[in-house]
C-alpha cells in the first residue's frame, strides 16, 4: 500500500510535526512518504506531484490557514484518480469537514 502524508505549510521554512509522528508510528508495517508544500504553491503543481507518487491513501494535515487550498487539491485529485482514498485531520479538518466530504461526490 502506497501511503503519502502531506500538508501545506504557511511558509517554506516551516515543517509539520504531525505527519512525521504518523510516519514514525506507522513504521515498520507501512512505508510512508512525506510531501510538504506551502499555501503559495500553485494547486496544479501540488496535484501533479502527488499524482506522480500514485498514492493508495493520501492524508492531509489541516489547519485554518491551509484548509481551503487542501480542499481544492483533494477535489482535483479525486477528478483524476477517483480510486485514491484520502483522509484529513487536524483542527482545520474538523472545522471544515463538511467541505471535505463534499469533495467525494
Amino acid at each position: 500500500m502506497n501511503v503519502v502524508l502531506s500538508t501545506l505549510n504557511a511558509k517554506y521554512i516551516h515543517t509539520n510535526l504531525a505527519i512525521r509522528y504518523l510516519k514514525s508510528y506507522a513504521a515498520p508495517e507501512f512505508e510512508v512518504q512525506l510531501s510538504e508544500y506551502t499555501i503559495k504553491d500553485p494547486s496544479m503543481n501540488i496535484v501533479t506531484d502527488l499524482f506522480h507518487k500514485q498514492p493508495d491513501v493520501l492524508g492531509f494535515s489541516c489547519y485554518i490557514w491551509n484548509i481551503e487550498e487542501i480542499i481544492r487539491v483533494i477535489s482535483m485529485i479525486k477528478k483524476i484518480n477517483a480510486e485514491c482514498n484520502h483522509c484529513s485531520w487536524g483542527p482545520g479538518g474538523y472545522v471544515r469537514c463538511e467541505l471535505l466530504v463534499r469533495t467525494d461526490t
Side-chain angles (χ1 to χ4, degrees):
M1 179 182 313
N2 188 12
V3 179
V4 177
L5 301 180
S6 185
T7 193
L8 280 66
N9 296 317
K11 294 183 179 183
Y12 179 73
I13 60 171
H14 296 163
T15 56
N16 184 283
L17 293 177
I19 61 176
R20 285 167 175 74
Y21 283 132
L22 287 171
K23 178 180 179 174
S24 175
Y25 183 78
E29 289 85 15
F30 297 99
E31 185 172 326
V32 176
Q33 299 178 61
L34 302 181
S35 294
E36 291 185 82
Y37 310 94
T38 71
I39 56 175
K40 299 292 186 188
D41 291 333
S43 296
M44 187 57 75
N45 292 359
I46 297 168
V47 170
T48 300
D49 187 53
L50 292 172
F51 177 76
H52 287 297
K53 295 177 187 295
Q54 293 295 308
D56 298 310
V57 176
L58 180 57
F60 285 97
S61 181
C62 302
Y63 299 91
I64 195 157
W65 62 82
N66 67 6
I67 189 65
E68 295 296 328
E69 292 300 318
I70 287 176
I71 291 168
R72 188 174 299 117
V73 167
I74 291 172
S75 177
M76 293 167 75
I77 287 173
K78 292 305 253 182
K79 287 178 183 175
I80 59 175
N81 184 3
E83 300 301 314
C84 179
N85 295 303
H86 76 272
C87 60
S88 304
W89 67 88
Y94 175 76
V95 171
R96 303 297 300 267
C97 64
E98 75 280 358
L99 291 175
L100 292 170
V101 170
R102 262 192 268 149
T103 63
D104 283 339
T105 59

